[in-house]
Amino acid sequence: SAGYGKSTLWSTSFNNPRGICANFHYSITGTGDPAGYGFFGAGCAGSMGISTLSPDVQPALGNTLNVTVNNLPANVAIMLTGLSRTAWALGALPFDVSAYGAPGCLLRVSPDANLVLLGSGNQAIWPFGVPNAPAFIGLMLYNQALVLDLGFNAASAVGSDAHAMLIGY
């Protein structure tokens, strides 16, 4: 019959009819931390659909991470890079920017450092040189692109999807 069983995690008893089959994944900030770059929040569609961020390598010490921003109708975006995905100067994140002319769009990262990207072929590349300094191991940064989309809405802009970056080896 179905139900709940209770046992210690590292039980030596093999006759318990309710068991667990699981994998444990963990990481401790230290000298062996793997670098990573991954999605954490959806963007809002513009005239070319939702712009996405695609890295070419992981943000490992000494690497240059090139993130491609696609679906740029005007070949222009502003890459927002922040230290937080939960708060910024005006309050909590995500922040609904509908009142500023971009209905359905959310600001998902704190805009702490921003860079205008000029591209071609409806895409642009954000180059990020990861310092080769162990002090940066475990640092989390967050990215989202503000995409210029003239006349699409009152703001003439939409937001890309949002990604988190963990600097590591």
Side-chain angles (χ1 to χ4, degrees), residues 48-73:
M48 295 185 76
I50 297 174
S51 293
T52 60
L53 308 180
S54 302
D56 65 342
V57 297
Q58 296 300 326
L61 293 184
N63 276 355
T64 296
L65 169 72
N66 292 298
V67 177
T68 300
V69 185
N70 68 2
N71 296 338
L72 303 180

Side-chain angles (χ1 to χ4, degrees), residues 16-120:
N16 185 343
R18 293 176 183 95
I20 183 170
C21 181
N23 292 320
F24 293 95
H25 299 275
Y26 65 94
S27 178
I28 299 171
T29 300
T31 59
D33 287 356
Y37 191 87
F39 172 88
F40 77 84
C44 56
S47 62
M48 295 185 76
I50 297 174
S51 293
T52 60
L53 308 180
S54 302
D56 65 342
V57 297
Q58 296 300 326
L61 293 184
N63 276 355
T64 296
L65 169 72
N66 292 298
V67 177
T68 300
V69 185
N70 68 2
N71 296 338
L72 303 180
N75 294 311
V76 177
I78 299 171
M79 181 63 85
L80 309 176
T81 303
L83 294 168
S84 179
R85 68 180 216 169
T86 59
W88 70 309
L90 298 181
L93 292 171
F95 182 80
D96 186 348
V97 293
S98 296
Y100 299 94
C105 292
L106 299 172
L107 173 66
R108 295 187 179 276
V109 307
S110 59
D112 300 320
N114 310 308
L115 183 66
V116 174
L117 305 177
L118 303 176
S120 64

